[in-house]
Amino acid sequence: MTERFFDQKQPIKYRKGKSKGLAYRWYDPDREVLGKRMEDQLRFAVCYWHSFVWPGTDPFGGDSFMRPWHGSGDPMDLARHKADVAFEMFRLLGVPFFTFHDRDIAPEGDSLAESNRNVREIGELFARKMETAKVRLLWGTANLFSNRRFMAGAATNPDPEVFAYAAAQVKNVLELTHELGGANYVLWGGREGYETILNTDIKRELDQLGRFLTMVVEHKHKIGFKGTILIEPKPKEPTVHQYDFDVGTIYGMLKAFDLEKQVKINIEQNHAILAGHTFEHELALASALGILGSIDINRGDYLLGWDTDQFAMNVPEMALACYYVFRGGGLGTGGFNFDAKIRRQSIDPDDLLEAHVGSMDACARGLLIAEKIINDGVLDEKVADRYAGWDKKEGRAILAGKRSLDDLSKRVLSKGIDPQPRSGRQEHLERLINSYI
């Protein structure tokens, strides 16, 4: 890198109380929270695509950022320049992880062989930089949606040669992720769905998708990759009907192909909203099903119907999210990945730093609030009390399969059971949560 990109020169640190300059106010990496350092609990990651690849376009306007690597020149030189800036940002933020798609880090060539060589060359550059850097790889993934060959999907494409091409592309990135010490590998089916049922064989496409996922898991074991395979749900954009709609849909698919113990889920807040759920619902459901793997942390605009990918700044939302993540034991190999875009008008390079610092602080505050809720135990007690009957003899017998419909009918009729509803106390619990904030 021949010129400085950021005005910020020194790494951003935690500073207690008010102070001048850019600093973390709540994110203190070494502070112990729920038995671990805050950095080890949150495992923050910077994503390559929105932070360095996205040029600031929207459906009605072009490039507003004008980054040096978005200009003309040798594509690989521009990719190396981009990598220099990326690792400088990792250093300034002090984040422990980063994430990438193959098409983010290196240009596509005239053939898959050339594309793979480009990715490998930048991967080697990453490896050299990581020798002296703090940052490590949270996960890698292959872009199976941008090129026109994937307009009808990758794994679910009606052409088996497209399926094979996608498999070869994933093999390269999975192996590179392994070689770089990645903690996970993500599959995001950007076009794994359909636009019209008139030209679609759903059963066939689901079988293809199941086979593709199985092949990825098989290759993971073949090469000795110890990381977690993750799927990211997305209900909309670009296809009308996505096979990876939400946590429940993906869990059903994993069960159908005997993969529920091999694959976990990477949940994005904005995608949860687009699916008609809350973020905390998707987190709690994945945790309950044992498939919560990692998080893409952002937020959506509740007035817009598309994936705005804004930086997460809503502290009460983050508190509930952290509560449902950490009451279940945390994320394991996963982390909080900033799959988020600065706004199109935020054109100064240091706006990238401001956005990450602000969102890291919001998440840190959310974690500290969640710690209070978990340690206090009042919310858990109130929920447990609501289901207390199921922990008694008769409730346990029903769940253990020791009661039939006849048994239950006879018991209700003979004892004249006439249960009355109890208050769910929603407003009381909402007031309780606000008391921690």
Side-chain angles (χ1 to χ4, degrees), residues 15-27:
R15 294 179 192 163
K16 189 175 182 179
K18 294 182 178 180
S19 61
K20 294 182 179 180
L22 189 56
Y24 296 113
R25 309 300 186 201
W26 295 91
Y27 177 59

Side-chain angles (χ1 to χ4, degrees), residues 82-333:
K82 182 168 53 178
D84 288 340
V85 173
F87 274 78
E88 172 66 0
M89 190 167 106
F90 304 155
R91 182 187 73 86
L92 292 173
L93 289 172
V95 290
F97 296 104
F98 72 104
T99 58
F100 71 84
H101 297 77
D102 51 355
R103 292 287 75 82
D104 304 328
I105 65 174
E108 190 161 14
D110 293 332
S111 66
L112 180 62
E114 183 180 354
S115 297
N116 286 351
R117 284 195 299 272
N118 291 343
V119 170
R120 284 285 172 171
E121 182 176 333
I122 300 301
E124 291 170 4
L125 176 60
F126 284 178
R128 292 194 298 272
K129 288 179 175 294
M130 290 165 68
E131 290 176 359
T132 56
K134 168 186 175 179
V135 74
R136 293 295 176 261
L137 180 61
L138 185 67
W139 50 258
T141 188
N143 181 328
L144 305 180
F145 48 88
S146 293
N147 191 290
R148 69 190 297 271
R149 73 174 60 89
F150 299 125
M151 67 172 65
T156 59
N157 200 285
D159 185 346
E161 291 193 349
V162 174
F163 182 105
Y165 192 103
Q169 192 175 332
V170 167
K171 176 182 181 292
N172 183 59
V173 186
L174 176 57
E175 291 176 354
L176 177 60
T177 299
H178 176 43
E179 292 161 19
L180 290 175
N184 310 272
Y185 183 83
V186 169
L187 292 157
W188 179 63
R191 297 185 188 275
E192 306 298 10
Y194 66 90
E195 295 174 357
T196 175
I197 202 167
L198 298 176
N199 64 6
T200 302
D201 185 332
I202 294 177
K203 175 65 167 61
R204 185 186 293 273
E205 291 195 359
L206 288 174
D207 286 344
Q208 292 172 208
L209 185 54
R211 184 62 199 137
F212 196 94
L213 295 174
T214 301
M215 290 166 63
V216 172
V217 170
E218 289 171 347
H219 196 69
K220 163 196 164 170
H221 294 302
K222 179 180 179 180
I223 65 176
F225 178 54
K226 302 301 183 184
T228 306
I229 301 297
L230 301 168
I231 295 180
E232 181 173 329
K234 188 174 184 180
K236 301 175 183 177
E237 298 179 348
T239 62
V240 177
H241 300 279
Q242 293 273 150
Y243 297 131
D244 49 2
F245 184 86
D246 61 5
V247 169
T249 304
I250 291 177
Y251 182 71
M253 180 177 65
L254 294 177
K255 288 283 286 185
F257 297 103
D258 296 321
L259 293 171
E260 71 274 13
K261 297 187 184 305
Q262 297 284 344
V263 178
K264 293 189 176 183
I265 292 186
N266 181 61
I267 298 174
E268 179 179 309
Q269 192 266 10
N270 207 160
H271 294 174
I273 300 302
L274 290 174
H277 305 307
T278 62
F279 189 27
E280 56 269 24
H281 164 82
E282 291 287 83
L283 292 170
L285 180 58
S287 181
L289 295 172
I291 54 173
L292 177 58
S294 196
I295 291 173
D296 273 3
I297 193 69
N298 58 29
R299 78 180 194 272
D301 190 312
Y302 291 98
L303 300 180
L304 298 175
W306 65 82
D307 204 1
T308 55
D309 288 322
Q310 295 168 245
F311 276 85
M313 300 289 188
N314 188 318
V315 173
E317 282 188 346
M318 291 304 98
L320 277 181
C322 286
Y323 171 72
Y324 286 105
V325 168
F326 293 104
R327 74 190 288 268
L331 293 172
T333 62

